[in-house]
Amino acid sequence: MSAPERILVDGSLDGIDWATVKAELTADDFDNGRSPRALRRSFAQSQHVAIARDGERVVGTARLLSDGVCNAYLVDVWTASSHRRRGIASAMIRRLVEEVPGQHIGLQTSSAQALYASLGFREEPEFWAAVVGVWLDNDGNR
Ligand SMILES: CC(C)(COP(=O)(O)OP(=O)(O)OC[C@H]1O[C@@H](n2cnc3c(N)ncnc32)[C@H](O)[C@@H]1OP(=O)(O)O)[C@@H](O)C(=O)NCCC(=O)NCCS
């Protein structure tokens, strides 16, 4: 299944107004504190990104960190609430996973299990995590 008609999903960050994206994330209660500049950096510095656009409006994001060999990590999966349940997140994730054949992809979710299960992901027990120091207190956010 591809993205719905008139929604374009690609890997380009061209022309994105990150302040608007942050406002959309905030409106959807999915802002995790990054400034527009830090958001831009997060995406620009990721190996693979998927952006869904409805015209000029960004209505979906996802990105994949990968070592290019064996491990990848999926983050920032979001579809604007106005555009959900139309296959946009699925289209973005499918696009990203095709970029990393042979690699193990990890992710963390507390609410979107059905989405990932529908794409072939399975729960693996004992995900462990730590924040080094204080969340977002680093040069990337200044
Ligand atoms: C989770 C999220 C990314 C899904 O985006 P989406 O574009 O609506 O997802 P899709 O349309 O591709 O959904 C594909 C399938 O996933 C499952 N799914 C998606 N959202 C679901 C929900 N809220 N409840 C139950 N199943 C859901 C369904 O099986 C769905 O297929 P269906 O619509 O034919 O039943 C979106 O709801 C979102 O941005 N939520 C807030 C941010 C978030 O939680 N991100 C995930 C962080 S891990």
Side-chain angles (χ1 to χ4, degrees):
M1 188 176 72
S2 56
E5 237 176 289
R6 106 193 158 79
I7 306 297
L8 180 70
V9 176
D10 66 19
S12 168
L13 300 178
D14 291 349
I16 295 180
D17 176 352
W18 290 100
T20 300
V21 174
K22 182 177 171 74
E24 296 254 18
L25 293 171
T26 303
D28 277 357
D29 202 20
F30 200 59
D31 173 44
N32 72 353
R34 282 168 291 179
S35 66
R37 201 164 78 117
L39 272 172
R40 182 184 59 75
R41 274 191 196 168
S42 291
F43 281 79
Q45 292 175 181
S46 299
Q47 281 78 15
H48 307 287
V49 300
I51 301 291
R53 288 181 174 85
D54 184 349
E56 299 209 334
R57 180 183 169 203
V58 172
V59 295
T61 67
R63 61 191 182 93
L64 197 60
L65 314 177
S66 167
D67 62 8
V69 179
C70 54
N71 289 102
Y73 192 69
L74 182 64
V75 272
D76 284 344
V77 178
W78 163 77
T79 298
S81 49
S82 56
H83 284 65
R84 288 182 188 165
R85 303 306 286 267
R86 292 161 62 180
I88 293 176
S90 302
M92 294 190 296
I93 295 167
R94 283 203 185 92
R95 181 187 169 91
L96 291 176
V97 304
E98 280 171 10
E99 303 277 0
V100 291
Q103 296 188 36
H104 178 274
I105 304 175
L107 64 89
Q108 191 273 328
T109 187
S110 56
S111 60
Q113 293 90 340
L115 167 67
Y116 298 113
S118 75
L119 293 166
F121 287 78
R122 296 291 169 259
E123 184 179 5
E124 289 186 358
E126 297 239 18
F127 178 82
W128 289 41
V131 173
V132 182
V134 177
W135 170 244
L136 293 182
D137 184 9
N138 59 53
D139 287 344
N141 289 288
R142 289 190 249 282

